[in-house]
Amino acid sequence: MEHTLFSLRSCELLALSTGIKARTLQELRDALGTVPASSLHYHFWGRLMRPQIGESEYNNDFAWWAGDSLGEKALAERLSVMNPGDYASLEDLREDMIALLEDRMDEGDFLSWARSSYPFFFTRAQMLVFDTGVFASRPEDLGDALKQVPYSSVFYHFLDARRRTPEREDDFCYWLSQFGEEAEPLRRELQNLDPHLLSLEELQKAILSIVERHQMRGGEKA
Amino acid sequence: MTLHIRDYENIVGEATLRQIEQLGSRLKGSRVVHVNSTKQGGGVAEILHRMVPLMQDLGIETSWEVVTGPEEFFQATKIIHNSLQGFPDVLTPALQQVYQETSEENAARLRENLENADFVIIHDPQPAGLLDLCPNRRGKWIWRCHIDVSTPNRNTWRFIRDRVKNYDASIFSLADFAQPLPHPQYLIPPSIDPLSQKNRDMPEDLVRKTLVEYGIDPERPMALQVSRFDKFKDPVGVIRAFQICAKRQDLQLVLAGGGASDDPEGEMVLREVRQAAMALEDVHVLVLPSDAHKVINCLQRGASVVLQKSLKEGFGLTVTEAMWKGRPVIGGDVGGIRLQVIDRYNGFRVRTPEGAALRMRYLLQHREKAERMGENARAYARQNFLITGQLRSVLALLEVSRHEEERERLEVFLS
């Protein structure tokens, strides 16, 4: 049977202002109801394409703003633990976020007039997709291919793919499915890899480590 | 000197260059015209001196035009510049009239070139009025705003808004600067060129020789601020910070800068600076020509601490220059500096001369920590603020703007 090649892409995000900003928690809640879903994606996942400085205290831009600019440390923790992978869609995530903010606003110690030290600027992005010139024709090529591509390839194939494929599957798993039982254990392990809390560098290493482990097992069997 | 995109391979790597070349191949043969208000002095001219030849190297027919005008025009544009950055200067009806008339004169001279271009990139407010005066334009027009317009004087903003609202897109350096406009507003930080005379590596002996030439003792610590003599750069505040710090710390201060042909206010600020520095023998005020790139490079490399204590700043290119040379930067907590200087990671952000004095003293007393922050600064500049990154973003914007319908994803490669 003829298998399709996996042509690895890289990507770049071109950030755009939505023109919407929030200075208080109420304004953030109101704006969350109106901004495009692509803005949520940008503030949860797109931030990984921006430079990472050491260990970040919070895992998305909303949590960062709540903790750093509003001084709402407890709310920041609750926002930070939200994992977009746990939601069927960004709309579901949006709904839960709004509910979380409203719960906080209902609490007795909430200061409705508290202004942030700097506003939250809702941003979105357009993606440019590039050819890396790197291919994999068999599952065992995947490790070498991954070593040759930039981190943005992992963003495109592992994170962005879940927004553009019907099964919300990453591109690696989708491609591996054509190899049937042979690639199933690798595919299953990749499906279980949770990218939440990982930088792109760490995510690339984690994928590579899974792929290489399966290559070794394949070699032992042979 | 001819510039080639492949010259940057050792600095930014193959992946970035490959992306730029793929974008270049999509845009090959397109006619792009950049328009600003000066070829000498200031960050915009510096960027264009490198950006234009690199775009040409990719096969894009790129040219650079400059608007000209009488002294009153540049007085008007200086007022526009200041008041868009929040100062209470007033653009009188008479100056608005001068702006409009000068725009018409420039349009008459540039119209054919601009109307036939595939893309026109207008930099800052000075040439912004050209779009309405080119009614037969066929290309996409983009307004690139380099200044901090986060809290503009509303009357001045309305005047400029009327002139930029019909552009196809605009570019701001930060989300904070974007203003409501009826077209897409892209966010692209400006950059420096690591291979330019101002930023390339310099031999240690040339650095020392240059310091001596300008009366600076290379054996003693030196704090430096490089920028135009402009009130927004707060050079007098830097002298004040030096005075506080130098009470208990051996230190020299160098304020190095020049004028730009579109800045009529520079002379006045320079007089104030000289007045403030007059009785201070360790303060060196250097007025340098706009092409003194090697000297600036040597001063930045010879500095122990670099300051950019701006009160307003679109984006401090001199901040990135110092970062690229591995120097921690003490920057004003304003505008684009907030994106460049990450507090305690690659420098410090301060609000007062006192804050600047405290951080200078800290960096001079903690040399190992200062060195580590300097290393972070260089890595951060490499990742974020080099011309290759800016070029890629600008080309990407041109490519996406060719498509009438906005797409969330665009495949660039030719399949």
Side-chain angles (χ1 to χ4, degrees), chain B residues 93-379:
Chain B
L95 286 173
Q96 291 182 19
Q97 180 71 19
V98 171
Y99 179 95
Q100 189 58 28
E101 284 168 7
T102 310
S103 297
E104 282 166 18
E105 285 161 22
N106 279 290
R109 181 169 57 86
L110 302 172
R111 188 170 288 122
E112 192 183 342
N113 193 11
L114 299 182
E115 286 187 340
N116 287 324
D118 297 299
F119 302 99
V120 176
I121 305 176
I122 298 286
H123 295 263
D124 281 339
Q126 298 92 330
L130 290 172
L131 176 131
D132 289 333
L133 302 165
C134 293
N136 299 317
R137 61 188 182 274
R138 64 180 189 88
K140 300 289 183 187
W141 284 55
I142 291 142
W143 184 53
R144 200 322 171 196
C145 178
H146 293 268
I147 58 179
D148 175 352
V149 290
S150 51
T151 52
N153 172 308
R154 283 291 152 195
N155 283 332
T156 309
W157 172 247
R158 278 192 279 272
F159 178 78
I160 288 301
R161 187 182 188 281
D162 282 347
R163 281 151 184 81
V164 300
K165 67 185 179 197
N166 291 329
Y167 281 67
D168 297 288
S170 52
I171 307 174
F172 294 90
S173 299
L174 282 179
D176 314 35
F177 301 168
Q179 287 289 329
L181 285 167
H183 56 237
Q185 296 168 64
Y186 291 89
L187 306 173
I188 302 177
S191 62
I192 61 155
D193 186 337
L195 298 181
S196 69
Q197 275 199 339
K198 209 190 234 184
N199 296 307
R200 69 175 67 141
D201 287 344
M202 282 284 159
E204 181 60 35
D205 56 342
L206 182 61
V207 171
R208 292 177 67 86
K209 199 175 137 208
T210 305
L211 295 187
V212 172
E213 203 175 303
Y214 283 89
I216 303 153
D217 182 351
E219 303 301 331
R220 294 175 56 209
M222 183 256 281
L224 169 74
Q225 175 157 303
V226 177
S227 63
R228 284 189 205 189
F229 292 101
D230 178 321
K231 62 186 174 193
F232 289 119
K233 315 292 183 188
D234 197 19
V236 176
V238 173
I239 293 174
R240 174 78 193 123
F242 164 81
Q243 285 178 298
I244 298 169
C245 184
K247 277 183 193 165
R248 289 181 173 273
Q249 171 78 48
D250 179 33
L251 187 62
Q252 308 167 91
L253 173 68
V254 177
L255 291 167
S261 59
D262 62 347
D263 181 7
E265 223 178 54
E267 276 302 317
M268 195 184 72
V269 178
L270 181 58
R271 271 198 303 277
E272 282 175 32
V273 171
R274 284 192 165 133
Q275 180 74 30
M278 206 184 329
L280 304 168
E281 73 177 273
D282 277 327
V283 178
H284 304 261
V285 180
L286 307 181
V287 180
L288 301 171
S290 61
D291 60 353
H293 302 310
K294 267 191 191 171
V295 176
I296 299 284
N297 191 339
C298 291
L299 290 174
Q300 287 168 328
R301 287 177 194 280
S304 320
V305 179
V306 173
L307 295 110
Q308 186 60 55
K309 214 201 86 47
S310 302
L311 304 173
K312 280 278 178 182
E313 190 67 71
F315 209 89
L317 285 180
T318 53
V319 171
T320 310
E321 287 162 15
M323 285 164 61
W324 177 245
K325 287 152 192 137
R327 298 291 176 275
V329 177
I330 298 170
D333 191 16
V334 291
I337 295 176
R338 290 195 293 242
L339 195 70
Q340 296 167 285
V341 177
I342 311 298
D343 225 4
R344 296 171 190 278
Y345 174 75
N346 56 10
F348 292 102
R349 295 201 303 255
V350 297
R351 293 165 187 81
T352 59
E354 290 77 6
L358 180 74
R359 297 313 185 189
M360 270 198 278
R361 212 181 262 177
Y362 179 91
L363 290 171
L364 292 167
Q365 286 181 351
H366 298 82
R367 294 311 300 165
E368 267 182 34
K369 282 183 187 162
E371 212 162 288
R372 203 160 50 244
M373 285 167 103
E375 286 164 15
N376 291 342
R378 183 172 167 91

Side-chain angles (χ1 to χ4, degrees), chain A residues 9-19 21 38 50-54 119 121 123-134 150 152 156 160 163-164, chain B residues 15 18-20 22-23 150 175-178 180 184-188 342 345 380 383-384 392-394 396-397 399-400 406-413 415:
Chain A
R9 310 296 190 210
S10 65
C11 68
E12 182 59 25
L13 296 185
L14 199 51
L16 288 116
S17 165
T18 62
K21 62 182 171 187
S38 59
R50 305 200 301 261
Q52 307 285 306
I53 302 161
F121 294 96
T123 304
R124 63 190 179 95
Q126 282 177 279
M127 177 183 279
L128 281 295
V129 185
F130 301 90
D131 176 27
T132 62
V134 177
S152 70
Y156 179 71
D160 182 67
R163 280 204 304 162
R164 59 180 150 75
Chain B
R18 200 179 162 90
Q19 293 179 340
I20 291 171
Q22 283 175 47
L23 284 162
S150 51
D176 314 35
F177 301 168
Q185 296 168 64
Y186 291 89
L187 306 173
I188 302 177
I342 311 298
Y345 174 75
Y380 200 68
Q383 282 179 327
N384 300 292
R392 179 178 56 190
S393 297
V394 170
L397 191 166
E399 176 60 18
V400 298
E406 191 183 307
R407 302 177 189 188
E408 209 172 322
R409 280 178 211 84
L410 188 67
E411 295 198 338
V412 173
F413 52 90
S415 48

Side-chain angles (χ1 to χ4, degrees), chain A residues 139-160:
Chain A
E140 51 270 34
D141 300 337
L142 206 48
D144 277 346
L146 271 169
K147 287 178 192 163
Q148 297 174 57
V149 293
Y151 301 141
S152 70
S153 296
V154 173
F155 184 87
Y156 179 71
H157 290 300
F158 205 78
L159 300 176
D160 182 67

Side-chain angles (χ1 to χ4, degrees), chain B residues 380-392:
Chain B
Y380 200 68
R382 184 199 303 274
Q383 282 179 327
N384 300 292
F385 306 125
L386 296 189
I387 193 151
T388 39
Q390 190 184 0
L391 176 63
R392 179 178 56 190

Side-chain angles (χ1 to χ4, degrees), chain A residues 49-96:
Chain A
M49 290 284 283
R50 305 200 301 261
Q52 307 285 306
I53 302 161
E55 290 291 317
S56 176
E57 196 173 349
Y58 302 114
N59 302 302
N60 60 65
D61 291 341
F62 301 105
W64 182 261
W65 181 76
D68 189 55
S69 179
L70 269 181
E72 285 272 353
K73 303 286 182 192
L75 176 66
E77 284 179 6
R78 292 185 185 119
L79 283 167
S80 194
V81 84
M82 295 184 102
N83 181 351
D86 293 342
Y87 294 86
S89 72
L90 287 168
E91 292 310 321
D92 292 347
L93 172 65
R94 185 201 302 265
E95 225 169 87
D96 254 19

Side-chain angles (χ1 to χ4, degrees), chain B residues 11-66:
Chain B
I11 297 172
V12 298
E14 171 65 21
T16 301
L17 295 191
R18 200 179 162 90
Q19 293 179 340
I20 291 171
E21 285 168 345
Q22 283 175 47
L23 284 162
S25 70
R26 292 289 284 242
L27 294 161
K28 199 168 186 168
S30 302
R31 293 184 58 193
V32 179
V33 186
H34 289 272
V35 187
N36 81 324
S37 62
T38 178
K39 286 218 174 185
Q40 301 300 329
V44 179
E46 263 181 50
I47 290 171
L48 289 178
H49 273 295
R50 313 297 288 184
M51 179 79 77
V52 169
L54 285 174
M55 289 175 79
Q56 288 167 341
D57 183 53
L58 291 165
I60 302 165
E61 287 181 33
T62 314
S63 58
W64 176 7
E65 301 286 356
V66 170

